[in-house]
Amino acid sequence: GAAEHRLLADAGSAYLWADSPGTGSVALTVEAAYEKALNAQVWLNPGYGIRKLSDVAALDKRFASLP
């Protein structure tokens, strides 16, 4: 929502899906998430139980190459 976008902006970061309609989660294909994640420094809320990059890689092997 707007409050989360403001927190990110105040922290000097950009929300890559700020132009998405609605509020709440944005449903993405693995390909769409991967494309954006290649250049992202932080991935907030990638899913329940995700604590480290290896957990993200377990979701899809393509995520193992993320920085």
Side-chain angles (χ1 to χ4, degrees), residues 17 25-28 33 37 42-60 63 66:
W17 287 274
S25 298
V26 177
L28 301 170
V42 176
W43 187 348
L44 298 176
N45 195 24
Y48 177 77
I50 303 297
R51 303 251 185 247
K52 53 190 180 238
L53 187 55
S54 61
D55 296 335
V56 176
L59 296 173
D60 188 287
F63 290 146
L66 295 176

Side-chain angles (χ1 to χ4, degrees), residues 7-34:
L7 287 172
L8 291 170
D10 288 349
S13 49
Y15 178 57
L16 298 177
W17 287 274
D19 294 334
S20 298
T23 60
S25 298
V26 177
L28 301 170
T29 63
V30 169
E31 292 79 12
Y34 182 81

